[in-house]
Amino acid sequence: MSTSTNEGKQPDVTLTINGLAVKANEGMTLVEAAWHAGVPRVTSVGCMEGVCGSCRVMLRRGKEVTVDLACQTFVENDIEVVFLPPASAPRHHYEIDDFKDGWDIHARFHDIFPEASRCRHCHGCDNACPKGITVENGVALADAGRYREAGEAFFECIMCELCDVACPELIAPAHVGLFSRRITAHFHLRPPNLIHRLEELRQERQGATLKESDEE
Amino acid sequence: MSNGIPLAEALARYRPDAELGALPELTDADTLLNAHHPDHLRGSVVKLVVGANAGENCQRELANLLQSEAFIDEADLAGTPVTDIDVLVIGGGGAGCAAALMAAEKGARVLLATKLRLGDSNTVMAEGGIQAAIEPDDSVQRHIQDTLRGGHHAGDPALVSAMAGDGPEVLRWLIRQGMQFEQTPSGDLHTRRAGGMSTARLVHCRDYTGLEMMRVLREAVIQHRSIEVWEQSPAVELLSNETGQKCVGAVLTSLLDGQLRIVRTRSVILATGGLGRLHLNGFPTSNHLGATGDGLVLAYRIGARLRELDSFQYHPTGLLHPTHLAGKLVTEGVRAAGALLVNGVGHRFIDELLPRDIVCSAILRECAEGRGIRIDDQRVGVWLDTPRLERANPGLLEKQFPNLMTRTRVSGIDPRIEPLLVHPTLHYQNGGAVIDANGATTVPGLYAVGEVAGGIHGRNRIMGNALLEIISFGRRAGIAATANRDRGPKKVTLEHVNRLRRALTLADMPLTRRAPQVLPDYAAGGVWNR
């Protein structure tokens, strides 16, 4: 079983998870340590390989406070760990089918994400990102209408939304990044090989329908 | 298993430029499968005694769950809050999101309930890509043939043809939702050829295809006016009408407060995924935490027929080391790019791009016959020779497999220098609920889409068909479920639970075990009070 790590070995690391003092084996991730010790209410765990963004934790080492993913952070002595509650519902609303004209998108972006122009360059988002994304720069690119580049900056985004939590201006950078990526595909991805196959299939269907009506 | 070559000895012997010897010829694939594939392990399969599949073969651990007691009875329903909705979708992965979006687009009010967080699923981890016949030399017909052949001709041709025919339209829909794909310099969608395909058909977004799909669909669902999402809300039972013949809703609980909630509806769409976290036959798994086979249990108890319950996919290259990533995948794309499998004595032993079930069996044979590399008494594997690949194509790993590199970097491993130790890992449920081309199960009012449904992949799935299946059938079920405009349930009951309990009693089966599992035991401490 995947979690039966170092069975029989004496746990030698002591730390705090959700306020409980626990013991763990060296080399365990914080998720494994929480399970190993039976810490209650640790349900924000998903893929355990750093792509689903669920297992968000706040870490305190002495006076330093940081955030990370529990599945890719290893136990250390005296670290204090708090599993964060799920992110709250987004404050910025749009449906992509409502966008009809690509020329309007920049104006719509500023309607939907008015805070994006108010970045104070505090680097809170950059420091919070467990994937090392240059979040602040990505937001600036989107604010300048450079959605393709902005989206590319967010390529490794796993939607953990830790940057949203970190932002004092409530910009919701993760959603700005995803907006940029979605707009780019929605308006600009027009692959000829796919379009040609769709047209062939349409003609086949039309042919079949015509044939049917001839036979009637 | 104590034989095998100790890790230190194998490492000392390993060289990325060593001569590997001739590849031994595979004379009889069936004999290899019968001797070493986990589906054929002695004691792995039993006959079901009760239910719609009574008398048929089923994997042992799954059979125990299918033939078990429910968590709730009528007394639990009294005073439980009720929500009325047009369509209930259970499961928040790719299939569930596609179904919810289509149902909402057709005018339904939709409730999407998911056990963990919206998007926590196997979809998000899919790396390879999605199949669709879009290249000039390819056709829907060839896609159908490859899929049926890959599944050892156990698949349902009607379902396979529906899925393959949807391929191009599915890509268009995903792009409209805002999903990006890799393009060639001329703007075409870039395609790759992988195991079991007769031509290049795999469309992808580097090795993050599933993540890109999931974050786009997740955002689309969250933003949709007509879709309500309940997270941390696993289903513990379905609800039936007075006769127990029709599905009319579900009972959900909450991982946060344990409160039960009744949802009454015209249609339920099960999109609960697979069961890797049951660790069948003691195998590690590539699956996410919630993959405990709940959908199969719920569907079986209300009377739905299931199929291929004795057929599971063990992905050949799960990581054996480091421990915290045990069972997690190294994508087949790495082998497609040229990485070889090497045993502890420094020899190749199988064509790396044969179907997954055969490669998996060959690795298990090497381990069983003492040519594996041994970490300790429990863990034996073989090398995936990534340094050799890097040597032949400098920079390839970093450029094409950022996900693999990021994951191993966190653990202090560099696959460009050290070969990866791999062992087969429980990956996919080939079978599932019997469905028609609309995703409808044999029980009226109940649909099943994605990994929980069966009939498409036969007895072995080929790469890239899972991501296509979830969108193709998710959309189909979303439309079909919305078309049901009856007046909704008059009465919701647990008649089907009573029916199965009677059958279990008559068959002299124990009533001590309860299901669905909801979370694996090792993760359930304190969150899920039974």
Side-chain angles (χ1 to χ4, degrees):
Chain A
M1 195 143 304
S2 63
T3 54
S4 56
T5 45
N6 308 330
E7 285 299 325
K9 218 184 187 183
Q10 204 62 16
D12 46 8
V13 182
T14 57
L15 63 158
T16 312
I17 300 180
N18 290 2
L20 297 173
V22 304
K23 284 182 181 301
N25 296 328
E26 206 173 308
M28 278 183 175
T29 64
L30 296 178
V31 171
E32 289 175 307
W35 288 345
H36 183 78
V39 178
R41 283 184 288 282
V42 177
T43 53
S44 52
V45 177
C47 73
M48 287 172 277
E49 58 180 63
V51 292
C52 80
S54 284
C55 58
R56 319 181 310 161
V57 280
M58 189 151 73
L59 309 169
R60 202 170 85 166
R61 300 173 178 92
K63 284 191 171 167
E64 182 206 29
V65 176
T66 55
V67 287
D68 211 323
L69 300 176
C71 72
Q72 59 176 33
T73 308
F74 298 92
V75 295
E76 14 180 312
N77 271 312
D78 303 328
I79 190 170
E80 286 177 46
V81 181
V82 177
F83 278 80
L84 295 174
S88 45
R91 293 175 303 270
H92 304 88
H93 296 283
Y94 67 96
E95 277 183 37
I96 207 154
D97 279 338
D98 294 347
F99 303 147
K100 302 296 176 216
D101 185 348
W103 287 96
D104 296 341
I105 285 305
H106 204 38
R108 297 298 301 273
F109 171 79
H110 284 118
D111 288 344
I112 299 162
F113 296 99
E115 303 89 351
S117 311
R118 292 184 217 135
C119 174
R120 31 170 126 154
H121 307 286
C122 69
H123 311 315
C125 51
D126 288 351
N127 294 332
C129 181
K131 291 284 157 183
I133 294 170
T134 52
V135 183
E136 208 176 275
N137 182 44
V139 171
L141 287 166
D143 185 45
R146 301 189 166 275
Y147 296 111
R148 185 183 298 275
E149 293 158 71
E152 200 48 42
F154 282 94
F155 178 68
E156 289 212 64
C157 174
I158 54 171
M159 296 307 284
C160 66
E161 295 167 343
L162 281 170
C163 54
D164 297 7
V165 179
C167 180
E169 291 287 352
L170 308 179
I171 291 173
H175 295 274
V176 168
L178 201 45
F179 176 92
S180 305
R181 293 189 62 81
R182 293 181 75 196
I183 287 303
T184 304
H186 186 82
F187 282 108
H188 302 293
L189 187 52
R190 294 293 180 271
N193 54 353
L194 172 61
I195 291 171
H196 186 61
R197 178 53 45 86
L198 283 166
E199 174 61 8
E200 282 176 354
L201 292 173
R202 188 188 69 85
Q203 288 179 359
E204 259 174 50
R205 269 198 311 275
Q206 204 172 39
T209 325
L210 283 177
K211 215 171 137 204
E212 263 169 40
S213 53
D214 281 354
E215 280 165 7
E216 269 166 19
Chain B
M1 205 185 295
S2 63
N3 58 352
I5 291 142
L7 176 63
E9 190 186 321
L11 251 184
R13 188 187 298 173
Y14 171 79
R15 289 219 144 54
D17 54 354
E19 189 55 49
L20 292 176
L23 185 63
E25 205 178 321
L26 177 68
T27 44
D28 185 357
D30 282 341
T31 311
L32 176 67
L33 286 173
N34 281 325
H36 292 284
H37 195 278
D39 282 348
H40 301 289
L41 280 176
R42 212 148 57 94
S44 167
V45 169
V46 297
K47 293 251 187 265
L48 287 167
V49 181
V50 300
N53 292 71
E56 294 176 25
N57 282 343
C58 179
Q59 206 285 334
R60 181 172 35 87
E61 282 122 319
L62 176 58
N64 286 340
L65 291 183
L66 293 182
Q67 306 180 113
S68 61
E69 219 349 8
F71 276 107
I72 56 167
D73 55 32
E74 272 94 355
D76 294 308
L77 299 188
T80 303
V82 178
T83 302
D84 284 295
I85 201 89
D86 296 335
V87 174
L88 170 66
V89 178
I90 303 177
C97 287
L101 286 167
M102 264 342 257
E105 194 176 314
K106 294 290 173 189
R109 289 174 308 131
V110 181
L111 173 61
L112 191 158
T114 183
K115 185 191 297 183
L116 299 167
R117 180 183 185 235
L118 184 63
D120 274 3
S121 59
N122 290 335
T123 304
V124 80
M125 289 187 276
E127 298 175 11
I130 174 168
Q131 283 202 55
I134 56 166
E135 293 293 9
D137 66 340
D138 197 6
S139 67
V140 168
Q141 196 55 38
R142 287 182 74 172
H143 187 172
I144 296 171
Q145 283 163 1
D146 288 349
T147 303
L148 287 170
R149 192 182 319 112
H152 302 291
H153 296 282
D156 177 344
L159 298 182
V160 174
S161 131
M163 177 188 78
D166 281 352
E169 182 56 38
V170 160
L171 293 186
R172 172 163 137 168
W173 184 76
L174 286 169
I175 290 169
R176 215 182 82 196
Q177 299 300 319
M179 179 170 173
Q180 297 192 12
F181 293 99
E182 217 65 22
Q183 287 171 277
T184 66
S186 60
D188 281 339
L189 291 183
H190 182 256
T191 54
R192 289 201 283 228
R193 180 180 171 183
M197 289 174 212
S198 59
T199 183
R201 191 184 298 133
L202 195 66
V203 182
H204 62 103
C205 184
R206 272 166 265 183
D207 66 343
Y208 277 118
T209 314
L211 171 63
E212 170 71 0
M213 179 188 282
M214 195 66 248
R215 63 190 171 197
V216 165
L217 295 182
R218 179 176 181 272
E219 188 77 351
V221 164
I222 290 175
Q223 296 285 359
H224 206 292
R225 298 172 190 95
S226 311
I227 305 175
E228 191 175 340
V229 178
W230 292 3
E231 296 186 329
Q232 308 263 322
S233 300
V236 289
E237 197 48 68
L238 295 174
L239 291 164
S240 55
N241 64 357
E242 296 93 324
T243 58
Q245 306 293 334
K246 182 176 187 297
C247 180
V248 294
V251 181
L252 310 175
T253 186
S254 161
L255 291 181
L256 300 177
D257 60 14
Q259 168 77 54
L260 292 178
R261 289 177 177 80
I262 289 175
V263 179
R264 280 191 309 208
T265 172
R266 298 192 192 105
S267 309
V268 174
I269 301 177
L270 280 178
T272 49
L275 51 56
R277 289 279 154 193
L278 297 182
H279 298 281
L280 304 182
N281 297 315
F283 269 74
T285 184
S286 59
N287 290 185
H288 82 112
L289 185 66
T292 51
D294 298 3
L296 289 183
V297 171
L298 300 180
Y300 198 64
R301 197 174 285 138
I302 204 168
R305 254 192 83 68
L306 312 179
R307 55 182 294 172
E308 275 92 40
L309 295 173
D310 55 348
S311 173
F312 294 87
Q313 182 164 82
Y314 294 79
H315 193 289
T317 53
L319 285 169
L320 191 61
H321 177 81
T323 313
H324 77 279
L325 288 177
K328 291 303 180 182
L329 285 197
V330 182
T331 171
E332 183 171 325
V334 179
R335 277 175 290 138
L340 303 177
L341 291 168
V342 177
N343 64 18
V345 292
H347 291 153
R348 273 182 85 193
F349 51 90
I350 189 77
D351 174 357
E352 289 77 3
L353 287 180
L354 285 172
R356 287 176 175 176
D357 48 353
I358 297 175
V359 178
C360 156
S361 303
I363 297 175
L364 292 173
R365 178 193 64 201
E366 295 305 299
C367 294
E369 294 178 356
R371 294 184 296 276
I373 296 130
R374 190 178 84 225
I375 300 184
D376 54 34
D377 285 353
Q378 278 108 43
R379 294 177 294 165
V380 184
V382 298
W383 296 130
L384 178 66
D385 199 349
T386 43
R388 184 181 299 269
L389 177 67
E390 180 69 14
R391 210 165 165 271
N393 308 275
L396 176 137
L397 284 171
E398 191 67 48
K399 198 161 130 249
Q400 286 196 24
F401 303 100
N403 186 358
L404 174 69
M405 295 304 287
T406 303
R407 251 192 297 156
T408 45
R409 190 178 303 120
V410 170
S411 329
I413 293 172
D414 189 344
R416 292 169 301 187
I417 297 165
E418 277 178 74
L420 297 169
L421 253 186
V422 295
H423 181 272
T425 181
L426 180 55
H427 185 51
Y428 192 80
Q429 165 183 303
N430 293 321
V434 171
I435 55 166
D436 67 11
N438 287 323
T441 68
T442 56
V443 173
L446 182 65
Y447 298 78
V449 293
E451 195 170 343
V452 71
I456 294 145
H457 311 295
R459 301 188 68 83
N460 180 56
R461 178 173 66 76
I462 58 175
M463 183 181 192
N465 267 346
L467 287 189
L468 175 57
E469 176 199 356
I470 59 176
I471 306 300
S472 164
F473 283 94
R475 282 166 38 94
R476 283 166 174 267
I479 296 168
T482 307
N484 174 9
R485 295 277 182 195
D486 66 22
R487 295 191 16 232
K490 283 201 289 263
K491 202 175 165 204
V492 295
T493 77
L494 290 174
E495 195 44 45
H496 61 289
V497 173
N498 300 333
R499 185 173 60 212
L500 193 80
R501 186 183 301 127
R502 281 195 296 274
L504 285 168
T505 312
L506 283 173
D508 220 10
M509 303 276 287
L511 290 171
T512 46
R513 183 191 271 269
R514 291 174 186 269
Q517 171 95 26
V518 181
L519 287 172
D521 289 333
Y522 52 78
V527 293
W528 171 241
N529 192 357
R530 299 183 183 185

